[in-house]
Amino acid sequence: MTTAAIIGGGVIGGGWAARFLLNGWDVRVFDPDPQAERKIGEVLANARRALPSLYDKALPPEGKLSFHADMAEAVSDAVWIQESVPERLDLKHKIHKLIQQHAPRDAILGSSTSGFKPSELQEGALNPGQIIVAHPFNPVYLLPLVELVPSAATPDAVTQRASALLTSVGMKPLVVRKEIDAHIADRLLEAVWREGLWLIKDGICTTEELDDAIRFGFGLRWAQMGLFETYRIAGGEAGMKHFMAQFGPALEWPWTKLMDVPEFTDELVDLIASQSDAQSGHMSIRDLERLRDDNLVGMMRALKKSGSGAGGTINSHEAMLPDPEPADLPVTVSRRIPQSWTDYNGHMNEAKYLEAAAQATDRFMEMIGCDAEYIASGGSYFTVESHVRFLNEMHEGDALTITTQVLKGEGKKMHLFHRLLGSDGKLAATVETLLLHMDMKARVSALPSDEVAARLTAYATAHAGMPLPEGAGRHVGQKV
Ligand SMILES: NC(=O)C1=CN([C@@H]2O[C@H](COP(=O)(O)OP(=O)(O)OC[C@H]3O[C@@H](n4cnc5c(N)ncnc54)[C@H](O)[C@@H]3O)[C@@H](O)[C@H]2O)C=CC1
Ligand SMILES: C[N+](C)(C)CC(=O)CC(=O)[O-]
């Protein structure tokens, strides 16, 4: 089992711990705060509820979490050490020295620093080439971006190994070409924050109105296309050059106050804190985190369909996860129930049982080779009939596993029986579904390719010896 050491287990360290644990790594935490175990436990509960929902395949079994008061114990077996102590250079230097006295020489020491350059962190270090900036985004267990910043003293091999390790836990390493204060993203974020502080100080808007200006408009655009691709479209058919000619002059007028910093007087701090309380004080931080996570999962799953932005990272990571063995009943869905799937009755809405079963069918189609490439080449399956039996309630956060049994896989027909199992392994629903293979051009039923037919037959043959599932072939209202 691979081991990560988490040094500093606050907001960011807790998120790193969850990211590694849920990707099957053992995690050792070093943090003097007596509350660290409780805080990490709460972050982990949120992560367990959110991260698996991004995937249509099961993540590896969770690793082991342990807490250590002794640095040697925490780091001596670690492949990856992530430092997330408060943003003070003297503290980071002190803690890196202690880490390097006990760490394996080939372990990577990533720092979560939001602003320090790697060369600053490496000053006076015992093994400078081991230290690299690995700057993540909150929540670390869901957001894939990690800015990986080497200095001139960082060997290329370290950057490459760091990049590969972070990719293997579902992250998107962005290697920053030249070290600079605050890397790339925090420079952008600080510029927006500084301008926002001025707009509030000058009474132009409240914190809520400023957030509205982001979330109802450009915030939605940025998640999928960023700044420059979005502006390319804004230039119309004439593209980027036209856009720059039209809006370039505004930079000189100027519209913004970016280089000034409003003074952090008690008055300004109180104004912002009271507006923020009025905006969001009715919810606890953990409730806000869960709302944020559910929204992020929904948006990231939408991006997964098109492979845009973070969706592309999820697809690549999912492709690295192992497929279940074809001889067993294949697991076609393994996920948690998001809050957005529940309804006014406080449980999973009936439509979502069918949605989950449709995900299982999509996954099974991929398993037999009917994937996006095959569909683009002109063949696919259409569902012609489904029967759902609702047997047990499912709730927000419950684990949902779906197994798929092939009742018939012959010619154009594919007859499937999905079992939806809850956290306790109890049957929550069954969905029996009949599909026909189609010629997508002519939009008529047609035989599948030989390869798809052969893979389907392999499953059908393996499942032929199994008993017919209880409930198969039922019709609505039938007596038990
Ligand atoms: N909060 C954020 O949005 C982000 C923060 N970061 C960076 O992550 C780092 C940590 O920030 P947060 O998690 O927000 O801070 P935090 O205050 O939530 O957590 C810091 C943790 O470090 C522990 N700690 C303090 N001294 C320590 C020591 N000597 N040894 C081990 N642990 C010690 C504290 O007990 C605390 O649990 C900073 O460098 C920050 O710039 C990076 C990305 C985002
Ligand atoms: C505010 N911050 C500088 C600590 C923010 C970050 O570093 C990244 C983030 O998660 O927004």
Side-chain angles (χ1 to χ4, degrees):
M1 187 65 70
T2 334
T3 302
I6 301 298
I7 312 302
V11 173
I12 292 304
W16 275 111
R19 164 77 65 180
F20 280 112
L21 277 168
L22 295 186
N23 278 285
W25 289 49
D26 284 346
V27 168
R28 296 179 174 204
V29 179
F30 175 90
D31 189 320
D33 179 2
Q35 295 292 319
E37 193 163 344
R38 175 189 63 77
K39 287 186 192 165
I40 290 189
E42 289 180 18
V43 173
L44 193 53
N46 277 355
R48 284 195 188 109
R49 187 176 163 273
L51 184 68
S53 303
L54 293 180
Y55 297 94
D56 297 319
K57 275 194 202 174
L59 287 167
E62 200 172 305
K64 212 171 100 229
L65 174 65
S66 53
F67 292 83
H68 303 266
D70 178 37
M71 181 65 87
E73 235 179 70
V75 302
S76 56
D77 288 332
V79 171
W80 186 280
I81 301 161
Q82 186 69 28
E83 168 272 302
S84 307
V85 302
E87 189 75 353
R88 278 182 20 225
L89 192 56
D90 61 329
L91 178 62
K92 293 203 185 266
H93 280 157
K94 194 175 118 202
I95 212 81
H96 289 180
K97 206 161 269 172
L98 185 60
I99 291 170
Q100 292 196 315
Q101 278 162 4
H102 302 286
R105 249 191 113 68
D106 60 351
I108 293 175
L109 170 45
S111 172
S112 299
T113 179
S114 297
F116 295 121
K117 297 196 283 278
S119 60
E120 290 172 305
L121 298 174
Q122 289 166 343
E123 279 161 16
L126 297 176
N127 178 10
Q130 183 175 39
I131 301 172
I132 191 162
V133 169
H135 175 235
F137 291 78
N138 193 28
V140 184
Y141 51 81
L142 271 187
L143 295 187
L145 182 65
V146 54
E147 291 178 303
L148 207 50
V149 197
S151 78
T154 314
D156 285 348
V158 169
T159 311
Q160 281 157 15
R161 205 153 60 84
S163 189
L165 277 175
L166 294 170
T167 303
S168 76
V169 294
M171 298 187 93
K172 158 81 185 169
L174 178 64
V175 179
V176 179
R177 290 161 189 265
K178 268 190 203 172
E179 61 169 1
I180 183 172
D181 292 334
H183 332 310
I184 300 172
D186 275 352
R187 292 184 83 91
L188 298 172
L189 285 176
E190 191 178 88
V192 174
W193 193 44
R194 202 185 300 155
E195 194 63 33
L197 292 174
W198 271 119
L199 289 167
I200 293 162
K201 181 181 159 53
D202 290 349
I204 310 296
C205 60
T206 62
T207 55
E208 184 165 5
E209 287 159 358
L210 191 121
D211 287 348
D212 286 351
I214 296 172
R215 62 187 154 198
F216 288 97
F218 65 83
L220 288 168
R221 292 193 312 221
W222 281 3
Q224 42 89 45
M225 281 194 173
L227 180 65
F228 280 96
E229 201 163 37
T230 299
Y231 277 174
R232 182 181 175 80
I233 300 174
E237 289 178 6
M240 187 52 104
K241 279 201 171 154
H242 172 64
F243 178 82
M244 290 177 80
Q246 178 158 232
F247 296 104
L251 296 171
E252 313 244 331
W253 291 337
W255 280 351
T256 56
K257 295 191 171 193
L258 277 181
M259 290 331 291
D260 302 87
V261 184
E263 198 187 332
F264 263 37
T265 56
D266 288 350
E267 201 187 346
L268 179 61
V269 171
D270 286 348
L271 177 69
I272 289 180
S274 63
Q275 287 185 358
S276 174
D277 286 349
Q279 180 183 348
S280 320
H282 59 290
M283 288 178 84
S284 72
I285 293 295
R286 296 284 175 237
D287 286 342
L288 277 171
E289 283 173 348
R290 280 188 281 275
L291 177 64
R292 173 202 64 192
D293 288 359
D294 289 340
N295 289 335
L296 283 172
V297 168
M299 290 190 279
M300 288 163 83
R301 285 203 67 95
L303 293 171
K304 186 170 184 273
K305 286 205 177 114
S306 64
S308 304
T313 309
I314 301 167
N315 286 335
S316 316
H317 187 213
E318 193 166 85
M320 292 181 208
L321 300 171
D323 280 326
E325 290 299 311
D328 304 324
L329 272 189
V331 172
T332 41
V333 166
S334 171
R335 58 170 301 155
R336 298 257 163 194
I337 305 299
Q339 184 271 336
S340 58
W341 279 23
T342 59
D343 62 17
Y344 46 82
N345 286 329
H347 59 194
M348 182 156 104
N349 180 260
E350 57 178 315
K352 299 301 174 189
Y353 286 81
L354 196 55
E355 185 171 334
Q359 284 177 8
T361 299
D362 287 353
R363 178 71 199 117
F364 187 73
M365 282 166 59
E366 281 171 8
M367 286 175 170
I368 59 168
C370 185
D371 54 14
E373 201 183 321
Y374 178 83
I375 293 168
S377 78
S380 186
Y381 280 95
F382 284 7
T383 304
V384 290
E385 190 174 344
S386 285
H387 182 89
V388 188
R389 291 188 311 149
F390 302 97
L391 303 171
N392 257 308
E393 289 184 300
M394 298 214 69
H395 300 101
E396 172 189 344
D398 284 355
L400 166 67
T401 305
I402 305 186
T403 60
T404 298
Q405 182 172 345
V406 179
L407 300 186
K408 189 172 188 171
E410 234 176 63
K412 303 172 191 172
K413 285 189 183 164
M414 180 162 77
H415 188 167
L416 304 178
F417 193 84
H418 300 302
R419 291 177 174 87
L420 284 70
L421 306 155
S423 306
D424 48 7
K426 241 167 122 179
L427 197 60
T430 65
V431 179
E432 185 177 349
T433 190
L434 180 68
L435 298 105
L436 287 183
H437 189 273
M438 302 294 289
D439 175 330
M440 294 294 277
K441 242 196 199 143
R443 317 281 301 173
V444 292
S445 63
L447 288 172
S449 73
D450 289 347
E451 201 192 328
V452 167
R455 290 213 216 170
L456 177 58
T457 305
Y459 278 106
T461 311
H463 297 179
M466 296 176 181
L468 192 68
E470 189 271 311
R474 269 183 67 95
H475 59 74
V476 174
Q478 190 177 334
K479 288 212 173 84
V480 184

